[in-house]
Amino acid sequence: MFARLLTITAALVSLNGCVSHVYQPYNILSGGFSEKKVSEKHYSVQYKGNSNLKLQKTLDFTLLRAAVIAHKSGAPSFMSSQVNAKTTYVHDQYGTSEITDATVDIELLSKNVRSSKSGCWIKPPKAEQNHRYPRFIHDTASCIDELKEKLDLTDDQIYREE
């Protein structure tokens, strides 16, 4: 009986680890996105991954969540700053796991900043090019479209709020 319970628990834990490959709200077992509203136009957005999620995908999910916040707020563009991303190595009896985490601070902008260049990363503001923490302006719709295609997501997966 105990062996059977242990086998079922191990299977559920290993299946749950795969869940972090999806864009999802944060939960303690498999990670996901969360945000903190700092002011009317400022947010801090975070995505916590687990051992199945590489750092680049964690960054993509973080930026996607920032774009979704801008979209839901009616902001045609947003500026990102203070991008922090890290991989933590966790050692245990089963080996070493890489846990990823990314955070970005954003400011919602009321004007459209479309550029001749398409995609999520539009341009740094001229005054910020030599800033210690570079800021980038993003077109909200282009960012969502680019990351939706790159990450192979549907609108239902992007806009759900479970």
Side-chain angles (χ1 to χ4, degrees), residues 133-150:
Y133 297 105
R135 298 193 274 180
F136 292 90
I137 297 175
H138 311 269
D139 175 72
T140 299
S142 294
C143 197
I144 291 172
D145 290 344
E146 178 182 312
L147 291 168
K148 176 182 173 181
E149 183 177 326
K150 179 180 181 181

Side-chain angles (χ1 to χ4, degrees), residues 81-135:
S81 64
Q82 299 281 20
V83 178
N84 295 305
K86 67 181 178 182
T87 301
T88 304
Y89 298 92
V90 178
H91 307 284
D92 62 20
Q93 67 212 32
Y94 303 108
T96 301
S97 299
E98 297 179 12
I99 309 298
T100 57
D101 185 10
T103 305
V104 63
D105 293 340
I106 65 167
E107 177 183 351
L108 305 179
L109 303 175
S110 58
K111 42 185 176 165
N112 197 330
V113 293
R114 280 204 186 263
S115 166
S116 58
K117 205 166 103 171
S118 65
C120 192
W121 296 90
I122 300 294
K123 61 183 178 182
K126 289 181 182 173
E128 297 295 330
Q129 290 185 7
N130 295 321
H131 194 272
R132 182 173 173 203
Y133 297 105
R135 298 193 274 180

Side-chain angles (χ1 to χ4, degrees), residues 9-46:
T9 303
L12 288 174
V13 168
S14 66
L15 282 174
N16 191 49
C18 298
V19 173
S20 72
H21 284 295
V22 299
Y23 173 76
Q24 64 187 19
Y26 176 77
N27 75 61
I28 196 163
L29 294 175
S30 59
F33 62 76
S34 62
E35 66 268 347
K36 178 182 175 188
K37 187 172 187 174
V38 179
S39 71
E40 192 61 35
K41 293 187 177 194
H42 294 86
Y43 289 80
S44 181
V45 182
Q46 183 175 35

Side-chain angles (χ1 to χ4, degrees), residues 31-73:
F33 62 76
S34 62
E35 66 268 347
K36 178 182 175 188
K37 187 172 187 174
V38 179
S39 71
E40 192 61 35
K41 293 187 177 194
H42 294 86
Y43 289 80
S44 181
V45 182
Q46 183 175 35
Y47 200 98
K48 289 184 177 265
N50 69 24
S51 60
N52 295 314
L53 196 62
K54 296 297 179 193
L55 189 57
Q56 182 58 54
K57 201 166 194 180
T58 302
L59 282 164
D60 290 341
F61 283 155
T62 308
L63 191 56
L64 177 59
R65 183 60 187 169
V68 168
I69 290 168
H71 171 78
K72 289 183 174 190
S73 299

